[in-house]
Amino acid sequence: MMVNDKSFVLGVLTSGGDAPGMNSCIRSVVRTTLSNGGRVLGVYGGYEGLINGDFRSLSAREVGGILQRGGTILQTRRSERFLEAKYQREAIRNMNSAGMDGLVVIGGEGSLQGAHALAKQGIKVVGIPASIDNDIWGTDMAIGVDTAMNTIMDAVDKLRDTASSHSRAFLIETMGRGSGYLAVMAGIVCGAEMVLIPEEPVSVEQVASAIEDAYRRGKTHAIVVVAEGASIRTSDLAKAIDDLDVGFTTRVTILGHIQRGGSPTAFDRLLAARMGIKAVQALLEGQSDVMVALQGRNMELVPLTEVAGKKRSANRDYIEMAKMLAL
Ligand code: F6P
């Protein structure tokens, strides 16, 4: 694909769990492509849309007014079928008959593995990391993480108000089935007494003693942030702690899918714009089988082979920092 080749056509899809900023990224991919003389086909419903050939041309106007909207105008799915070779072949047939020269995949780790599978079969593909979990190896930040973090912060601030008024301990569950990133960061920015993450199992007694300590130090509340994938289920933990009589009464709040919605923050909009531009430029330069990554202040390209099957783990030092600051 050449920059001066006026006829080039790129596909763009969003896949996996949605993340705020996906729309900003679609807009960036479409307008960068149009600015370089190409056309974009939006693929509807992630990899399912590739299998079904559900493609629609996207104009500059059609991606207008979406920059600030959460979710994804292209829809997203978790496609089990796409793991099978016969459906991948079907997808490639559809892409070829639509005249697609390259594809931009915006999604999480599973979606990037799908991108790698297509690249191995000769399709020109560039991935863009988007997942609120921030568990994608190779990039400092994925699209959606900052917005989710701000949603969590807002929710925990509100929960602290009621926790303090009633002298209660709140166990607050964040998303992230395999990664404690959101929980650990929430520990710092929300001033939690304790953080529980999948990467570091703890016992009920350890949690109970952290809450009791906070009570004895004269605190009016205790906040424990529990990652969805932590070793103990949040509701079971609350029951067990209540039975141990730790001073505070206990309440549970599961933040759930609210963390995936909402208007993207300035950080996510900028990240999405930069990643979309970088992905199209990479395809125009003939690159494939790579993911766009934020490394420090720079946009880099990381081979998808290095990304697939690896996980960016939570920064455990932050757990200690949170503990120290919760004195
Ligand atoms: O990967 C993003 C994520 O929000 C995880 O944090 C969560 O475990 C999962 O998706 C939930 O997926 P679903 O919306 O399919 O239930």
Side-chain angles (χ1 to χ4, degrees):
M1 214 179 320
M2 305 288 291
V3 182
N4 295 330
D5 177 358
K6 297 284 178 212
S7 64
F8 75 93
V9 178
L10 297 186
V12 60
L13 66 81
T14 48
S15 165
D18 61 348
M22 277 182 161
N23 278 330
S24 324
C25 193
I26 294 165
R27 172 181 177 271
S28 169
V29 168
V30 170
R31 292 192 174 171
T32 306
T33 306
L34 295 173
S35 299
N36 283 282
R39 280 197 309 120
V40 178
L41 292 174
V43 179
Y44 284 76
Y47 288 112
E48 284 295 307
L50 271 191
I51 297 167
N52 300 331
D54 193 358
F55 309 150
R56 279 168 253 175
S57 191
L58 291 173
S59 68
R61 293 289 69 75
E62 275 158 325
V63 294
I66 66 167
L67 169 69
Q68 73 283 13
R69 279 167 50 193
T72 160
I73 60 157
L74 292 177
Q75 297 269 299
T76 181
R77 301 282 180 276
R78 298 190 191 278
S79 175
E80 291 293 323
R81 288 200 298 169
F82 194 71
L83 298 172
E84 293 176 43
K86 69 170 175 177
Y87 290 111
Q88 291 177 11
R89 281 197 298 275
E90 186 66 35
I92 291 171
R93 256 196 303 278
N94 288 334
M95 291 172 74
N96 287 337
S97 56
M100 239 183 241
D101 299 298
L103 179 69
V104 177
V105 171
I106 306 167
E109 209 261 320
S111 313
L112 296 166
Q113 287 201 25
H116 180 52
L118 286 174
K120 277 198 295 191
Q121 294 170 70
I123 298 291
K124 298 266 184 206
V125 194
V126 173
I128 295 182
S131 163
I132 65 160
D133 295 356
N134 214 23
D135 58 349
I136 301 166
W137 191 89
T139 186
D140 292 350
M141 287 291 271
I143 293 169
V145 177
D146 187 62
T147 307
M149 205 60 251
N150 277 281
T151 302
I152 293 168
M153 189 174 72
D154 186 46
V156 176
D157 285 351
K158 286 175 175 152
L159 291 169
R160 194 192 297 98
D161 290 345
T162 174
S164 287
S165 309
H166 286 264
S167 198
R168 281 174 173 159
F170 264 77
L171 306 183
I172 304 168
E173 187 179 295
T174 60
M175 272 192 165
R177 54 190 157 195
S179 164
Y181 180 91
L182 289 174
V184 168
M185 292 301 166
I188 304 285
V189 302
C190 305
E193 271 59 47
M194 193 171 195
V195 178
L196 275 59
I197 61 169
E199 296 92 331
E200 213 164 277
V202 292
S203 66
V204 171
E205 289 69 30
Q206 282 172 291
V207 184
S209 114
I211 295 175
E212 198 173 357
D213 273 3
Y215 183 75
R216 292 197 193 291
R217 293 201 305 277
K219 290 211 164 192
T220 54
H221 63 267
I223 301 289
V224 178
V225 183
V226 186
E228 185 185 10
S231 53
I232 321 169
R233 281 190 55 205
T234 315
S235 49
D236 296 343
L237 184 62
K239 263 185 89 223
I241 287 170
D242 261 342
D243 291 345
L244 290 173
D245 188 15
V246 290
F248 296 117
T249 50
T250 312
R251 289 290 185 272
V252 170
T253 299
I254 295 175
L255 296 179
H257 286 80
I258 198 164
Q259 296 160 95
R260 288 235 298 260
S263 181
T265 56
F267 181 91
D268 272 328
R269 293 182 198 193
L270 184 60
L271 184 67
R274 292 179 71 197
M275 285 185 161
I277 294 168
K278 182 77 177 179
V280 174
Q281 283 172 346
L283 284 166
L284 289 174
E285 285 161 9
Q287 298 264 9
S288 181
D289 208 8
V290 289
M291 179 190 80
V292 175
L294 177 71
Q295 292 181 352
R297 294 165 72 169
N298 302 324
M299 278 298 149
E300 305 289 351
L301 295 174
V302 179
L304 280 172
T305 33
E306 288 180 21
V307 176
K310 285 199 199 147
K311 259 199 188 312
R312 176 196 199 286
S313 55
N315 188 343
R316 293 185 199 189
D317 300 347
Y318 280 44
I319 297 184
E320 290 311 312
M321 278 169 58
K323 252 188 230 164
M324 184 178 75
L325 298 180
L327 194 65

PDB file of all heavy atoms in Angstrom, residues 30-64:
ATOM      1  N   VAL A  30     -10.653   7.013  10.438  1.00  0.00           N
ATOM      2  CA  VAL A  30     -11.399   7.389   9.226  1.00  0.00           C
ATOM      3  C   VAL A  30     -10.830   8.672   8.633  1.00  0.00           C
ATOM      4  O   VAL A  30     -10.511   8.735   7.430  1.00  0.00           O
ATOM      5  CB  VAL A  30     -12.913   7.542   9.542  1.00  0.00           C
ATOM      6  CG1 VAL A  30     -13.660   8.160   8.359  1.00  0.00           C
ATOM      7  CG2 VAL A  30     -13.517   6.189   9.903  1.00  0.00           C
ATOM      8  N   ARG A  31     -10.655   9.671   9.466  1.00  0.00           N
ATOM      9  CA  ARG A  31     -10.243  10.968   8.906  1.00  0.00           C
ATOM     10  C   ARG A  31      -8.778  10.969   8.459  1.00  0.00           C
ATOM     11  O   ARG A  31      -8.436  11.652   7.498  1.00  0.00           O
ATOM     12  CB  ARG A  31     -10.548  12.087   9.913  1.00  0.00           C
ATOM     13  CG  ARG A  31     -12.071  12.241  10.059  1.00  0.00           C
ATOM     14  CD  ARG A  31     -12.489  13.470  10.774  1.00  0.00           C
ATOM     15  NE  ARG A  31     -13.948  13.605  10.749  1.00  0.00           N
ATOM     16  CZ  ARG A  31     -14.631  14.506  11.435  1.00  0.00           C
ATOM     17  NH1 ARG A  31     -13.992  15.356  12.221  1.00  0.00           N
ATOM     18  NH2 ARG A  31     -15.938  14.570  11.346  1.00  0.00           N
ATOM     19  N   THR A  32      -7.926  10.184   9.140  1.00  0.00           N
ATOM     20  CA  THR A  32      -6.529  10.078   8.680  1.00  0.00           C
ATOM     21  C   THR A  32      -6.487   9.387   7.321  1.00  0.00           C
ATOM     22  O   THR A  32      -5.755   9.797   6.412  1.00  0.00           O
ATOM     23  CB  THR A  32      -5.660   9.282   9.693  1.00  0.00           C
ATOM     24  OG1 THR A  32      -5.801   9.880  10.972  1.00  0.00           O
ATOM     25  CG2 THR A  32      -4.199   9.259   9.302  1.00  0.00           C
ATOM     26  N   THR A  33      -7.284   8.340   7.163  1.00  0.00           N
ATOM     27  CA  THR A  33      -7.319   7.610   5.892  1.00  0.00           C
ATOM     28  C   THR A  33      -7.832   8.511   4.774  1.00  0.00           C
ATOM     29  O   THR A  33      -7.223   8.597   3.690  1.00  0.00           O
ATOM     30  CB  THR A  33      -8.222   6.351   6.021  1.00  0.00           C
ATOM     31  OG1 THR A  33      -7.757   5.589   7.122  1.00  0.00           O
ATOM     32  CG2 THR A  33      -8.193   5.504   4.765  1.00  0.00           C
ATOM     33  N   LEU A  34      -8.941   9.209   5.037  1.00  0.00           N
ATOM     34  CA  LEU A  34      -9.512  10.093   4.015  1.00  0.00           C
ATOM     35  C   LEU A  34      -8.515  11.193   3.645  1.00  0.00           C
ATOM     36  O   LEU A  34      -8.354  11.542   2.470  1.00  0.00           O
ATOM     37  CB  LEU A  34     -10.827  10.714   4.511  1.00  0.00           C
ATOM     38  CG  LEU A  34     -12.001   9.741   4.751  1.00  0.00           C
ATOM     39  CD1 LEU A  34     -13.172  10.456   5.395  1.00  0.00           C
ATOM     40  CD2 LEU A  34     -12.440   9.075   3.447  1.00  0.00           C
ATOM     41  N   SER A  35      -7.820  11.714   4.652  1.00  0.00           N
ATOM     42  CA  SER A  35      -6.838  12.780   4.393  1.00  0.00           C
ATOM     43  C   SER A  35      -5.698  12.300   3.500  1.00  0.00           C
ATOM     44  O   SER A  35      -5.040  13.090   2.840  1.00  0.00           O
ATOM     45  CB  SER A  35      -6.222  13.287   5.703  1.00  0.00           C
ATOM     46  OG  SER A  35      -7.223  13.805   6.507  1.00  0.00           O
ATOM     47  N   ASN A  36      -5.452  10.992   3.530  1.00  0.00           N
ATOM     48  CA  ASN A  36      -4.383  10.419   2.700  1.00  0.00           C
ATOM     49  C   ASN A  36      -4.904   9.834   1.390  1.00  0.00           C
ATOM     50  O   ASN A  36      -4.192   9.118   0.690  1.00  0.00           O
ATOM     51  CB  ASN A  36      -3.623   9.350   3.489  1.00  0.00           C
ATOM     52  CG  ASN A  36      -2.662   9.966   4.484  1.00  0.00           C
ATOM     53  OD1 ASN A  36      -1.586  10.426   4.114  1.00  0.00           O
ATOM     54  ND2 ASN A  36      -3.071  10.035   5.739  1.00  0.00           N
ATOM     55  N   GLY A  37      -6.177  10.110   1.081  1.00  0.00           N
ATOM     56  CA  GLY A  37      -6.723   9.696  -0.214  1.00  0.00           C
ATOM     57  C   GLY A  37      -7.338   8.317  -0.246  1.00  0.00           C
ATOM     58  O   GLY A  37      -7.689   7.821  -1.325  1.00  0.00           O
ATOM     59  N   GLY A  38      -7.479   7.670   0.920  1.00  0.00           N
ATOM     60  CA  GLY A  38      -8.090   6.334   0.931  1.00  0.00           C
ATOM     61  C   GLY A  38      -9.556   6.370   1.326  1.00  0.00           C
ATOM     62  O   GLY A  38     -10.148   7.450   1.477  1.00  0.00           O
ATOM     63  N   ARG A  39     -10.135   5.163   1.472  1.00  0.00           N
ATOM     64  CA  ARG A  39     -11.526   5.019   1.922  1.00  0.00           C
ATOM     65  C   ARG A  39     -11.550   4.060   3.098  1.00  0.00           C
ATOM     66  O   ARG A  39     -10.672   3.199   3.223  1.00  0.00           O
ATOM     67  CB  ARG A  39     -12.383   4.397   0.807  1.00  0.00           C
ATOM     68  CG  ARG A  39     -12.829   5.370  -0.257  1.00  0.00           C
ATOM     69  CD  ARG A  39     -13.992   4.800  -1.080  1.00  0.00           C
ATOM     70  NE  ARG A  39     -13.748   3.466  -1.607  1.00  0.00           N
ATOM     71  CZ  ARG A  39     -14.507   2.394  -1.321  1.00  0.00           C
ATOM     72  NH1 ARG A  39     -15.531   2.483  -0.497  1.00  0.00           N
ATOM     73  NH2 ARG A  39     -14.241   1.222  -1.867  1.00  0.00           N
ATOM     74  N   VAL A  40     -12.597   4.194   3.950  1.00  0.00           N
ATOM     75  CA  VAL A  40     -12.698   3.289   5.100  1.00  0.00           C
ATOM     76  C   VAL A  40     -14.019   2.532   5.079  1.00  0.00           C
ATOM     77  O   VAL A  40     -15.078   3.111   4.871  1.00  0.00           O
ATOM     78  CB  VAL A  40     -12.573   4.059   6.445  1.00  0.00           C
ATOM     79  CG1 VAL A  40     -12.741   3.104   7.631  1.00  0.00           C
ATOM     80  CG2 VAL A  40     -11.238   4.763   6.541  1.00  0.00           C
ATOM     81  N   LEU A  41     -13.910   1.231   5.329  1.00  0.00           N
ATOM     82  CA  LEU A  41     -15.101   0.411   5.533  1.00  0.00           C
ATOM     83  C   LEU A  41     -15.200   0.106   7.021  1.00  0.00           C
ATOM     84  O   LEU A  41     -14.266  -0.469   7.609  1.00  0.00           O
ATOM     85  CB  LEU A  41     -15.001  -0.895   4.746  1.00  0.00           C
ATOM     86  CG  LEU A  41     -15.058  -0.767   3.217  1.00  0.00           C
ATOM     87  CD1 LEU A  41     -14.803  -2.117   2.554  1.00  0.00           C
ATOM     88  CD2 LEU A  41     -16.427  -0.205   2.776  1.00  0.00           C
ATOM     89  N   GLY A  42     -16.292   0.517   7.645  1.00  0.00           N
ATOM     90  CA  GLY A  42     -16.531   0.170   9.041  1.00  0.00           C
ATOM     91  C   GLY A  42     -17.048  -1.258   9.091  1.00  0.00           C
ATOM     92  O   GLY A  42     -17.933  -1.630   8.333  1.00  0.00           O
ATOM     93  N   VAL A  43     -16.452  -2.069   9.964  1.00  0.00           N
ATOM     94  CA  VAL A  43     -16.887  -3.465  10.127  1.00  0.00           C
ATOM     95  C   VAL A  43     -17.781  -3.494  11.368  1.00  0.00           C
ATOM     96  O   VAL A  43     -17.328  -3.120  12.457  1.00  0.00           O
ATOM     97  CB  VAL A  43     -15.666  -4.399  10.311  1.00  0.00           C
ATOM     98  CG1 VAL A  43     -16.114  -5.844  10.507  1.00  0.00           C
ATOM     99  CG2 VAL A  43     -14.690  -4.256   9.147  1.00  0.00           C
ATOM    100  N   TYR A  44     -19.034  -3.913  11.221  1.00  0.00           N
ATOM    101  CA  TYR A  44     -19.993  -3.852  12.332  1.00  0.00           C
ATOM    102  C   TYR A  44     -20.032  -5.146  13.133  1.00  0.00           C
ATOM    103  O   TYR A  44     -20.179  -6.222  12.572  1.00  0.00           O
ATOM    104  CB  TYR A  44     -21.399  -3.481  11.799  1.00  0.00           C
ATOM    105  CG  TYR A  44     -21.455  -2.013  11.473  1.00  0.00           C
ATOM    106  CD1 TYR A  44     -20.851  -1.512  10.320  1.00  0.00           C
ATOM    107  CD2 TYR A  44     -22.037  -1.105  12.350  1.00  0.00           C
ATOM    108  CE1 TYR A  44     -20.843  -0.149  10.051  1.00  0.00           C
ATOM    109  CE2 TYR A  44     -22.035   0.259  12.078  1.00  0.00           C
ATOM    110  CZ  TYR A  44     -21.444   0.729  10.935  1.00  0.00           C
ATOM    111  OH  TYR A  44     -21.426   2.072  10.685  1.00  0.00           O
ATOM    112  N   GLY A  45     -19.845  -4.989  14.476  1.00  0.00           N
ATOM    113  CA  GLY A  45     -19.938  -6.156  15.364  1.00  0.00           C
ATOM    114  C   GLY A  45     -18.638  -6.932  15.467  1.00  0.00           C
ATOM    115  O   GLY A  45     -18.661  -8.168  15.542  1.00  0.00           O
ATOM    116  N   GLY A  46     -17.499  -6.261  15.448  1.00  0.00           N
ATOM    117  CA  GLY A  46     -16.202  -6.904  15.660  1.00  0.00           C
ATOM    118  C   GLY A  46     -15.905  -7.998  14.642  1.00  0.00           C
ATOM    119  O   GLY A  46     -16.267  -7.888  13.461  1.00  0.00           O
ATOM    120  N   TYR A  47     -15.289  -9.092  15.100  1.00  0.00           N
ATOM    121  CA  TYR A  47     -14.924 -10.181  14.178  1.00  0.00           C
ATOM    122  C   TYR A  47     -16.159 -10.869  13.598  1.00  0.00           C
ATOM    123  O   TYR A  47     -16.103 -11.440  12.511  1.00  0.00           O
ATOM    124  CB  TYR A  47     -14.017 -11.197  14.881  1.00  0.00           C
ATOM    125  CG  TYR A  47     -12.620 -10.644  15.113  1.00  0.00           C
ATOM    126  CD1 TYR A  47     -12.152 -10.360  16.388  1.00  0.00           C
ATOM    127  CD2 TYR A  47     -11.778 -10.381  14.033  1.00  0.00           C
ATOM    128  CE1 TYR A  47     -10.880  -9.834  16.592  1.00  0.00           C
ATOM    129  CE2 TYR A  47     -10.500  -9.853  14.224  1.00  0.00           C
ATOM    130  CZ  TYR A  47     -10.065  -9.584  15.513  1.00  0.00           C
ATOM    131  OH  TYR A  47      -8.813  -9.059  15.702  1.00  0.00           O
ATOM    132  N   GLU A  48     -17.292 -10.809  14.321  1.00  0.00           N
ATOM    133  CA  GLU A  48     -18.538 -11.355  13.773  1.00  0.00           C
ATOM    134  C   GLU A  48     -18.893 -10.631  12.475  1.00  0.00           C
ATOM    135  O   GLU A  48     -19.362 -11.231  11.514  1.00  0.00           O
ATOM    136  CB  GLU A  48     -19.685 -11.196  14.787  1.00  0.00           C
ATOM    137  CG  GLU A  48     -19.637 -12.187  15.927  1.00  0.00           C
ATOM    138  CD  GLU A  48     -19.842 -13.627  15.465  1.00  0.00           C
ATOM    139  OE1 GLU A  48     -20.835 -13.882  14.788  1.00  0.00           O
ATOM    140  OE2 GLU A  48     -18.989 -14.482  15.785  1.00  0.00           O
ATOM    141  N   GLY A  49     -18.659  -9.318  12.465  1.00  0.00           N
ATOM    142  CA  GLY A  49     -18.935  -8.506  11.277  1.00  0.00           C
ATOM    143  C   GLY A  49     -18.028  -8.877  10.109  1.00  0.00           C
ATOM    144  O   GLY A  49     -18.444  -8.804   8.936  1.00  0.00           O
ATOM    145  N   LEU A  50     -16.786  -9.289  10.425  1.00  0.00           N
ATOM    146  CA  LEU A  50     -15.867  -9.733   9.358  1.00  0.00           C
ATOM    147  C   LEU A  50     -16.384 -11.040   8.760  1.00  0.00           C
ATOM    148  O   LEU A  50     -16.381 -11.228   7.547  1.00  0.00           O
ATOM    149  CB  LEU A  50     -14.463  -9.982   9.922  1.00  0.00           C
ATOM    150  CG  LEU A  50     -13.434  -8.856   9.983  1.00  0.00           C
ATOM    151  CD1 LEU A  50     -12.065  -9.450  10.317  1.00  0.00           C
ATOM    152  CD2 LEU A  50     -13.349  -8.052   8.695  1.00  0.00           C
ATOM    153  N   ILE A  51     -16.831 -11.947   9.654  1.00  0.00           N
ATOM    154  CA  ILE A  51     -17.330 -13.255   9.196  1.00  0.00           C
ATOM    155  C   ILE A  51     -18.598 -13.078   8.354  1.00  0.00           C
ATOM    156  O   ILE A  51     -18.793 -13.749   7.344  1.00  0.00           O
ATOM    157  CB  ILE A  51     -17.619 -14.186  10.411  1.00  0.00           C
ATOM    158  CG1 ILE A  51     -16.338 -14.475  11.193  1.00  0.00           C
ATOM    159  CG2 ILE A  51     -18.289 -15.488   9.962  1.00  0.00           C
ATOM    160  CD1 ILE A  51     -16.548 -15.119  12.560  1.00  0.00           C
ATOM    161  N   ASN A  52     -19.462 -12.140   8.791  1.00  0.00           N
ATOM    162  CA  ASN A  52     -20.744 -11.938   8.089  1.00  0.00           C
ATOM    163  C   ASN A  52     -20.644 -10.960   6.924  1.00  0.00           C
ATOM    164  O   ASN A  52     -21.625 -10.744   6.221  1.00  0.00           O
ATOM    165  CB  ASN A  52     -21.804 -11.416   9.074  1.00  0.00           C
ATOM    166  CG  ASN A  52     -22.043 -12.390  10.219  1.00  0.00           C
ATOM    167  OD1 ASN A  52     -21.870 -13.593  10.041  1.00  0.00           O
ATOM    168  ND2 ASN A  52     -22.403 -11.875  11.371  1.00  0.00           N
ATOM    169  N   GLY A  53     -19.491 -10.328   6.745  1.00  0.00           N
ATOM    170  CA  GLY A  53     -19.317  -9.333   5.674  1.00  0.00           C
ATOM    171  C   GLY A  53     -20.167  -8.094   5.906  1.00  0.00           C
ATOM    172  O   GLY A  53     -20.646  -7.479   4.957  1.00  0.00           O
ATOM    173  N   ASP A  54     -20.350  -7.722   7.179  1.00  0.00           N
ATOM    174  CA  ASP A  54     -21.179  -6.558   7.515  1.00  0.00           C
ATOM    175  C   ASP A  54     -20.314  -5.288   7.487  1.00  0.00           C
ATOM    176  O   ASP A  54     -19.822  -4.825   8.521  1.00  0.00           O
ATOM    177  CB  ASP A  54     -21.818  -6.781   8.899  1.00  0.00           C
ATOM    178  CG  ASP A  54     -22.922  -5.782   9.180  1.00  0.00           C
ATOM    179  OD1 ASP A  54     -23.162  -4.909   8.328  1.00  0.00           O
ATOM    180  OD2 ASP A  54     -23.546  -5.872  10.258  1.00  0.00           O
ATOM    181  N   PHE A  55     -20.094  -4.775   6.272  1.00  0.00           N
ATOM    182  CA  PHE A  55     -19.206  -3.609   6.083  1.00  0.00           C
ATOM    183  C   PHE A  55     -20.019  -2.433   5.549  1.00  0.00           C
ATOM    184  O   PHE A  55     -20.852  -2.622   4.663  1.00  0.00           O
ATOM    185  CB  PHE A  55     -18.115  -3.894   5.036  1.00  0.00           C
ATOM    186  CG  PHE A  55     -17.340  -5.180   5.268  1.00  0.00           C
ATOM    187  CD1 PHE A  55     -16.807  -5.870   4.174  1.00  0.00           C
ATOM    188  CD2 PHE A  55     -17.119  -5.676   6.539  1.00  0.00           C
ATOM    189  CE1 PHE A  55     -16.082  -7.049   4.357  1.00  0.00           C
ATOM    190  CE2 PHE A  55     -16.397  -6.851   6.734  1.00  0.00           C
ATOM    191  CZ  PHE A  55     -15.880  -7.541   5.639  1.00  0.00           C
ATOM    192  N   ARG A  56     -19.726  -1.236   6.063  1.00  0.00           N
ATOM    193  CA  ARG A  56     -20.354  -0.033   5.513  1.00  0.00           C
ATOM    194  C   ARG A  56     -19.320   1.066   5.395  1.00  0.00           C
ATOM    195  O   ARG A  56     -18.493   1.232   6.310  1.00  0.00           O
ATOM    196  CB  ARG A  56     -21.496   0.439   6.431  1.00  0.00           C
ATOM    197  CG  ARG A  56     -22.788  -0.351   6.204  1.00  0.00           C
ATOM    198  CD  ARG A  56     -23.790  -0.089   7.295  1.00  0.00           C
ATOM    199  NE  ARG A  56     -23.899  -1.258   8.187  1.00  0.00           N
ATOM    200  CZ  ARG A  56     -24.629  -1.293   9.300  1.00  0.00           C
ATOM    201  NH1 ARG A  56     -25.287  -0.225   9.685  1.00  0.00           N
ATOM    202  NH2 ARG A  56     -24.680  -2.389  10.024  1.00  0.00           N
ATOM    203  N   SER A  57     -19.385   1.797   4.299  1.00  0.00           N
ATOM    204  CA  SER A  57     -18.428   2.872   4.048  1.00  0.00           C
ATOM    205  C   SER A  57     -18.641   4.004   5.064  1.00  0.00           C
ATOM    206  O   SER A  57     -19.774   4.321   5.411  1.00  0.00           O
ATOM    207  CB  SER A  57     -18.684   3.382   2.626  1.00  0.00           C
ATOM    208  OG  SER A  57     -17.640   4.210   2.266  1.00  0.00           O
ATOM    209  N   LEU A  58     -17.542   4.554   5.597  1.00  0.00           N
ATOM    210  CA  LEU A  58     -17.655   5.632   6.586  1.00  0.00           C
ATOM    211  C   LEU A  58     -17.084   6.925   6.008  1.00  0.00           C
ATOM    212  O   LEU A  58     -15.915   6.970   5.606  1.00  0.00           O
ATOM    213  CB  LEU A  58     -16.884   5.263   7.863  1.00  0.00           C
ATOM    214  CG  LEU A  58     -17.456   4.119   8.715  1.00  0.00           C
ATOM    215  CD1 LEU A  58     -16.487   3.777   9.843  1.00  0.00           C
ATOM    216  CD2 LEU A  58     -18.824   4.475   9.282  1.00  0.00           C
ATOM    217  N   SER A  59     -17.912   7.960   5.997  1.00  0.00           N
ATOM    218  CA  SER A  59     -17.446   9.259   5.490  1.00  0.00           C
ATOM    219  C   SER A  59     -16.984  10.117   6.667  1.00  0.00           C
ATOM    220  O   SER A  59     -17.230   9.779   7.837  1.00  0.00           O
ATOM    221  CB  SER A  59     -18.596   9.968   4.770  1.00  0.00           C
ATOM    222  OG  SER A  59     -19.577  10.328   5.730  1.00  0.00           O
ATOM    223  N   ALA A  60     -16.354  11.242   6.359  1.00  0.00           N
ATOM    224  CA  ALA A  60     -15.890  12.169   7.403  1.00  0.00           C
ATOM    225  C   ALA A  60     -17.077  12.634   8.247  1.00  0.00           C
ATOM    226  O   ALA A  60     -16.981  12.753   9.470  1.00  0.00           O
ATOM    227  CB  ALA A  60     -15.185  13.367   6.776  1.00  0.00           C
ATOM    228  N   ARG A  61     -18.217  12.885   7.580  1.00  0.00           N
ATOM    229  CA  ARG A  61     -19.412  13.382   8.306  1.00  0.00           C
ATOM    230  C   ARG A  61     -19.985  12.293   9.212  1.00  0.00           C
ATOM    231  O   ARG A  61     -20.493  12.563  10.288  1.00  0.00           O
ATOM    232  CB  ARG A  61     -20.511  13.859   7.335  1.00  0.00           C
ATOM    233  CG  ARG A  61     -20.164  15.116   6.517  1.00  0.00           C
ATOM    234  CD  ARG A  61     -20.117  16.408   7.338  1.00  0.00           C
ATOM    235  NE  ARG A  61     -19.011  16.511   8.282  1.00  0.00           N
ATOM    236  CZ  ARG A  61     -17.746  16.773   7.928  1.00  0.00           C
ATOM    237  NH1 ARG A  61     -17.412  16.967   6.693  1.00  0.00           N
ATOM    238  NH2 ARG A  61     -16.812  16.846   8.853  1.00  0.00           N
ATOM    239  N   GLU A  62     -19.933  11.025   8.750  1.00  0.00           N
ATOM    240  CA  GLU A  62     -20.518   9.942   9.555  1.00  0.00           C
ATOM    241  C   GLU A  62     -19.773   9.704  10.870  1.00  0.00           C
ATOM    242  O   GLU A  62     -20.320   9.103  11.788  1.00  0.00           O
ATOM    243  CB  GLU A  62     -20.577   8.645   8.742  1.00  0.00           C
ATOM    244  CG  GLU A  62     -21.830   8.591   7.895  1.00  0.00           C
ATOM    245  CD  GLU A  62     -21.707   7.641   6.725  1.00  0.00           C
ATOM    246  OE1 GLU A  62     -20.604   7.519   6.151  1.00  0.00           O
ATOM    247  OE2 GLU A  62     -22.708   7.015   6.382  1.00  0.00           O
ATOM    248  N   VAL A  63     -18.525  10.165  10.937  1.00  0.00           N
ATOM    249  CA  VAL A  63     -17.810  10.027  12.214  1.00  0.00           C
ATOM    250  C   VAL A  63     -17.777  11.368  12.958  1.00  0.00           C
ATOM    251  O   VAL A  63     -17.030  11.531  13.918  1.00  0.00           O
ATOM    252  CB  VAL A  63     -16.391   9.435  12.032  1.00  0.00           C
ATOM    253  CG1 VAL A  63     -16.473   7.994  11.548  1.00  0.00           C
ATOM    254  CG2 VAL A  63     -15.542  10.288  11.097  1.00  0.00           C
ATOM    255  N   GLY A  64     -18.589  12.297  12.505  1.00  0.00           N
ATOM    256  CA  GLY A  64     -18.709  13.584  13.203  1.00  0.00           C
ATOM    257  C   GLY A  64     -19.574  13.415  14.442  1.00  0.00           C
ATOM    258  O   GLY A  64     -20.502  12.597  14.456  1.00  0.00           O
TER     259      GLY A  64
END
